[in-house]
């Protein structure tokens, strides 16, 4: 097929659960490609010689090669190519912001001047990962003889899992310490089932366990085991403890009954299965739910509220649609499902009744001024324009900071002013020798793929540190 | 495996478990707590660590059956296991030589008070303990507390044991006898902590209270346990559980404890009903 023909092929639409139906269940929304669909979509790739898509990927997945494998009908080869650089394709294919990474750089999308026309790399990645899982085709790699070195990984989120996977394959012994009773970090407690089925996360973890990674749950480093004990027992440490410290607005009324941080709301629903009648964990099922914030976490909270039976769900965001940090796809899904968006509204007070239950909130109307430090236009209040919005559950989803538990337990760790751990950009080594860090504990709340990218760098540097081969890891 | 080694009924609906939790046993300090899940579909609830035996790798947990989870836990027998235990969590109690320390415990709050009183005693404080219970059969750990106290006063609401009245009455009469107190620690039902703290504030006695709000993860992740202290949001799981009792917003804290009252009642009723159905269908006890 020549480039001109390929270029004319329209994007293949991935089937999705109907919005009216899906708000009543927690099953995944996009249903995946059939092999025929995947083949058709793969044929849209122009196989550019300069491979701009690969440059857009934080872990450098060899994208055109795996797409070529799909076109040749060789799924096994395709998934092998991805797994050479990305340990969690089933996860990344679902939750990566491809439109800002690989797909943003895609020549097809660029030529159409529409990123929506780009080759759907993420969906193809998901196709291969699902194919591998459904066909039980995961290949157990040959593990080299034991190096005799032990590595402690703190946190089983995307960064920690990547480090564990990379190092176990190099022959090091790896123990992953997880504070919760289930693995995955934010993949488990934060991202909802309808966006990332937990079974996928648990299977990835089971695969690592099969390779020999030791998972210790219910273990809080700094509490259950001191950092000194870990340093004594292990030759290197990777901290991937995430950005689990929810921000509040610090406005009146945040302690009223029915006000949740998005973390709490999502943790109850996801990790603790509060949507399931057989779960013992309660959650307030509001009729009218207001979600404060405009990121992916806000979208996840709003769509969770619908699935918990809310009749009206509002996202209240102080800037406009354009500045909203949520992925377009999530935003569109939310709109399809009936979430209302109130832009340029800044919450100034949460209102309650005499018994302390939330009844709504007061919002201040905003307008956009000059760009601020983030490059986005700064929202400014319009004097005298406030209004009240009734709601019986309010979810505060305005972001997270790095969780301070591990840094507090390891004095000497240099921190930035946002509470993140300072690391060497190339090696992810912290100010404490032999201690590496990556993911949201370094970045602040960022993305799964960036966390994995840092995990990959750290694994490389830890291997070098353990084997004494190089001072600094090479790319 | 968090296997239960020993089970002992301490009072009406109050059970003490000695359970395997080696990491917690060797690392815990007075004032810290664990989070447990009884079953694999269970909720996560915080429980204070009443005692520990590092050599045996066991901890003591004292549980009062109030809701579904604690009733389900009360059914566990030696040899059974608690599905998940994580800890020790929270900051340990600040223990030092204050001089005379007043330990005020109410109801099930006497369980976490015990290791603190013991710690205070070991730090060579004079320990005066005031314990309150609604009735005699609800009073727990009296002998343990007596062993670590220089003086022990018991009050019951109904006068079935000790002095009839509230712990605040006992504190007032202590003070009117001219007792000097350098530091107070209060743990018990929220209302009792509130009123004790109002009194000690009036009396000018620095007071620590250990809070037990609703929690999920216990690591600062969810913010569900937030309390207002000196007008600021604090997370009881990582900033506490102990705070200066005089600057805690008690009314807000007490209200938040009631967030799931309806759901809890429904779950407990359903559990009781299912148990009864189960018993009727099975062999009699």
């Amino acid at each position: 097929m020549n480039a001109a023909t390929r270029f004319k092929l329209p994007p293949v639409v991935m089937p999705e659960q109907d919005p009216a139906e899906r708000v009543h269940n927690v099953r995944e929304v996009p249903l995946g490609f059939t092999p025929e669909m995947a083949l058709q979509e793969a044929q849209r790739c122009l196989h550019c010689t300069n491979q701009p898509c690969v440059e857009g990927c934080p872990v450098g997945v060899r994208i055109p090669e795996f797409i070529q494998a799909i076109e040749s009908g060789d799924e096994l080869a395709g998934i092998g190519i991805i797994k050479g650089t990305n340990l969690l394709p089933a996860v990344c294919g679902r939750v990566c912001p491809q439109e800002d990474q690989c797909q943003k750089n895609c020549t097809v999308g660029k030529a159409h001047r529409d990123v929506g026309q780009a080759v759907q790399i993420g969906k193809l990645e998901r196709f291969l990962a699902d194919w591998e899982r459904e066909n039980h085709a995961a290949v157990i790699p040959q593990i080299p003889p034991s190096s005799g070195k032990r590595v402690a990984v703190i946190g089983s989120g995307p960064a920690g899992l990547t480090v564990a996977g990379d190092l176990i394959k190099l022959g090091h012994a790896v123990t992953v310490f997880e504070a919760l009773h289930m693995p995955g970090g934010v993949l488990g407690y934060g991202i909802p089932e309808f966006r990332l089925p937990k079974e996928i996360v648990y299977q990835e973890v089971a695969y690592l366990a099969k390779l020999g990674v030791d998972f210790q749950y219910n273990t809080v480093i700094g509490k259950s085991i001191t950092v000194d004990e870990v340093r004594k027992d292990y030759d290197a440490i990777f901290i991937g403890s995430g950005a689990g410290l929810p921000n509040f607005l610090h406005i009146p009324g945040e302690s009223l009954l029915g006000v949740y941080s998005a973390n709490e709301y999502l943790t109850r629903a996801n990790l603790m299965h509060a949507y399931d009648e057989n779960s013992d964990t309660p959650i307030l099922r509001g009729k009218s739910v207001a979600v404060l914030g405009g990121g992916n976490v806000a979208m996840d909270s709003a769509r969770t509220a619908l699935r918990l039976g809310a009749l009206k769900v509002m996202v209240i965001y102080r800037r406009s649609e354009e500045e909203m940090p949520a992925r377009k796809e999530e935003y569109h899904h939310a709109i399809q499902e009936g979430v209302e968006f109130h832009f340029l509204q800044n919450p100034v007070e949460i209102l309650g009744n005499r018994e302390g239950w939330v009844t709504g909130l007061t919002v201040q109307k905003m307008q956009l001024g000059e760009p601020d430090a983030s490059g986005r236009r700064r929202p400014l209040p319009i004097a005298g324009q406030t209004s009240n919005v009734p709601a019986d559950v309010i979810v505060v989803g305005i972001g997270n900071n790095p969780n301070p538990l591990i840094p507090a337990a390891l004095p000497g760790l240099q921190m930035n002013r946002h509470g993140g751990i300072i690391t060497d950009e190339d090696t992810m080594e912290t100010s404490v020798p032999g201690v590496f860090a990556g993911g949201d504990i370094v970045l602040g709340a960022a993305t799964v793929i960036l966390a994995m990218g840092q995990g990959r760098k750290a694994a490389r540097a830890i291997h070098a540190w353990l084997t004494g081969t190089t001072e600094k890891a090479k790319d | 495996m968090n296997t239960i080694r020993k089970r002992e009924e301490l009072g009406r609906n109050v059970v003490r478990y000695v359970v395997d939790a080696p990491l917690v046993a060797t690392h815990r300090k007075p004032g810290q707590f664990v989070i447990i899940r009884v079953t694999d579909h269970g909720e996560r609830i915080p429980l204070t660590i009443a005692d520990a035996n590092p050599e045996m790798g066991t901890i003591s947990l004292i549980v009062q059956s109030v809701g579904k989870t604690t009733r389900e836990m009360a059914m566990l027998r030696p040899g059974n296991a608690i599905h998940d235990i994580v800890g020790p969590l929270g900051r340990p109690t600040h223990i030092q030589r204050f001089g005379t320390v007043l330990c005020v415990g109410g109801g099930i709050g006497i369980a976490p008070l015990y290791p603190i009183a013991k710690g205070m005693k070991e730090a060579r404080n004079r320990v005066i303990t005031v314990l309150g219970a609604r009735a005699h059969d609800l009073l727990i750990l009296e002998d343990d507390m007596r062993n670590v106290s220089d003086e022990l006063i018991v009050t019951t609401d109904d006068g079935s044991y000790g002095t009839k009245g509230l712990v605040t009455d006992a504190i007032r009469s202590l003070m009117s006898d001219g007792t000097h107190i350098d530091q107070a620690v209060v743990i018990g039902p929220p209302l009792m902590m509130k009123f004790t703290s109002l009194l000690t504030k009036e009396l000018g006695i620095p007071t620590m209270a250990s809070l037990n709000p609703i929690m999920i993860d216990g690591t600062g992740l969810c913010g569900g346990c937030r309390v207002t202290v000196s007008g600021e949001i604090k997370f009881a799981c990582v900033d506490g559980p102990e705070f200066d009792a005089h600057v805690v917003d008690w009314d807000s804290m007490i209200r938040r404890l009631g967030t799931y009252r309806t759901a809890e009642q429904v779950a407990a009723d359903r559990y009781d009903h299912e148990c009864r159905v189960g018993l009727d269908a099975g062999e009699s006890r």
Side-chain angles (χ1 to χ4, degrees), chain B residues 192-214:
Chain B
M192 170 261 190
M193 290 200 279
K194 175 187 168 179
F195 285 106
T196 303
S197 127
L198 287 175
L199 174 63
T200 58
K201 191 173 184 175
E202 178 192 316
L203 298 170
I205 305 169
T207 303
M208 298 184 273
S210 179
L211 309 187
N212 191 18
I214 295 167

Side-chain angles (χ1 to χ4, degrees), chain A residues 204-468:
Chain A
E204 298 290 0
V205 170
Y207 173 78
L208 290 178
K210 218 189 239 177
L211 299 188
V213 176
D214 174 28
F215 286 89
Q216 297 289 328
Y217 299 108
N218 294 320
T219 310
V220 182
I221 299 304
K223 299 278 183 188
S224 313
I225 304 176
T226 66
V227 173
D228 282 345
E229 287 170 314
V230 177
R231 293 185 79 183
K232 214 168 70 197
D233 288 349
Y234 293 87
D235 302 291
I237 299 176
F238 175 78
I239 305 172
S241 50
L245 183 75
N247 290 330
F248 285 90
L249 287 156
H250 302 284
I251 58 175
E254 271 185 307
S255 290
L256 289 167
L257 283 70
V259 181
Y260 286 111
S261 75
N263 280 6
E264 179 179 4
Y265 194 65
L266 293 172
T267 299
R268 284 181 182 275
N270 298 323
L271 179 76
M272 306 309 295
H273 299 189
Y275 56 75
D276 179 355
E277 266 203 17
N278 291 319
S279 164
D280 289 342
T281 301
I283 194 164
L284 296 171
R285 294 175 181 246
K287 287 197 174 62
S288 182
V289 178
V291 178
L292 316 183
N296 288 323
V297 171
M299 301 303 117
D300 286 345
S301 303
R303 298 173 67 199
T304 296
L306 288 172
R307 283 155 178 80
L308 289 169
L311 302 175
K312 183 183 171 81
V313 178
M314 299 158 279
V315 167
I316 295 174
Y317 182 51
R318 65 192 182 121
R319 302 184 198 239
S320 76
E321 181 177 359
E322 203 163 304
E323 289 80 24
M324 210 166 58
R327 286 184 70 195
K328 281 236 157 54
E329 185 180 327
E330 307 311 329
Y331 174 46
H332 287 148
H333 278 148
I335 285 185
Q336 282 176 351
E337 291 171 7
V339 173
E340 292 174 19
F341 284 80
H342 297 204
F343 293 113
L344 293 166
Q345 304 282 349
N346 193 33
V348 288
E349 180 174 0
I350 297 176
L351 310 168
N353 63 18
R354 237 189 298 163
E355 289 78 42
W357 289 91
V358 160
T359 56
L361 70 162
T362 304
V363 291
Q364 158 77 56
K365 178 104 182 107
M366 310 295 276
Q367 60 187 351
L368 294 178
E370 294 299 305
D372 62 13
S374 74
R376 297 176 298 175
R377 293 177 64 193
R378 183 192 302 275
L380 300 165
I382 306 175
Q385 292 201 33
T386 60
S387 54
N388 288 350
V389 182
D392 52 6
V393 165
I394 291 178
V395 182
V396 182
I398 55 159
N400 275 281
N401 280 326
N403 188 292
L405 216 51
I406 303 293
L410 183 48
L413 211 50
Q414 265 179 33
M415 310 294 296
N416 65 31
R417 61 193 175 90
H418 305 294
I421 298 176
I422 297 173
T423 57
D424 181 293
E425 229 174 84
D426 296 322
T427 65
M428 305 314 294
E429 190 169 10
T430 68
S431 53
V432 180
V435 178
F436 300 76
D440 282 358
I441 188 71
V442 171
L443 294 160
T447 62
V448 170
I449 191 72
L450 287 175
M452 292 181 57
Q454 292 201 333
R456 169 124 304 179
K457 276 192 203 172
R460 217 181 286 141
I462 291 170
H463 178 61
W465 159 271
L466 293 174
T467 52

Side-chain angles (χ1 to χ4, degrees), chain B residues 131-272:
Chain B
L131 302 181
R134 273 188 288 133
H136 188 197
D137 63 344
L138 289 166
L139 178 69
I140 61 166
L141 300 181
E142 185 190 354
D143 292 340
D144 300 75
M145 288 303 296
R146 193 181 305 280
N147 287 337
V148 296
S149 308
D150 294 277
E151 193 180 337
L152 181 99
I153 300 159
V154 178
T155 66
T156 51
D157 296 6
D158 63 357
S160 55
Y161 187 67
T163 318
K164 182 174 158 63
L166 302 172
V167 290
T168 41
D169 301 329
I171 298 167
R172 275 190 199 284
S173 79
L174 264 175
M175 297 306 285
S176 61
D177 292 347
T179 311
H180 175 81
I181 291 159
D182 297 287
Q183 176 71 43
V185 183
V186 55
I187 313 182
L191 267 179
M192 170 261 190
M193 290 200 279
K194 175 187 168 179
F195 285 106
T196 303
S197 127
L198 287 175
L199 174 63
T200 58
K201 191 173 184 175
E202 178 192 316
L203 298 170
I205 305 169
T207 303
M208 298 184 273
S210 179
L211 309 187
N212 191 18
I214 295 167
M215 286 186 191
I216 308 178
D217 59 285
T219 62
L221 172 75
C222 83
C225 66
R226 64 190 183 277
V227 289
T228 309
V229 181
S230 289
E232 270 180 55
I233 292 179
K234 296 279 179 194
F235 292 176
C237 66
V238 288
D239 301 320
E242 274 164 34
F243 294 99
D244 177 349
H246 295 165
V247 288
V248 168
D249 181 342
W250 289 105
D251 292 338
S252 158
M253 191 246 160
I254 291 166
R255 273 205 304 263
R256 285 181 63 78
L257 281 171
T259 304
Y260 301 104
R261 196 149 287 150
T262 314
E264 282 160 2
Q265 194 55 53
V266 170
D269 289 349
R270 199 170 72 166
Y271 178 71
D272 280 355

Side-chain angles (χ1 to χ4, degrees), chain B residues 68 71-72 75 268-282:
Chain B
K68 185 201 166 184
R71 283 182 214 187
E72 206 167 33
M75 302 297 285
D269 289 349
R270 199 170 72 166
Y271 178 71
D272 280 355
H273 175 71
E274 281 165 7
C275 283
R276 269 200 301 278
V277 171
L279 285 176
D280 292 345

Side-chain angles (χ1 to χ4, degrees), chain A residues 186-197:
Chain A
V186 72
L187 306 176
Y189 73 76
I191 302 178
E193 181 76 16
F194 55 82
R195 215 148 69 75
L196 176 64

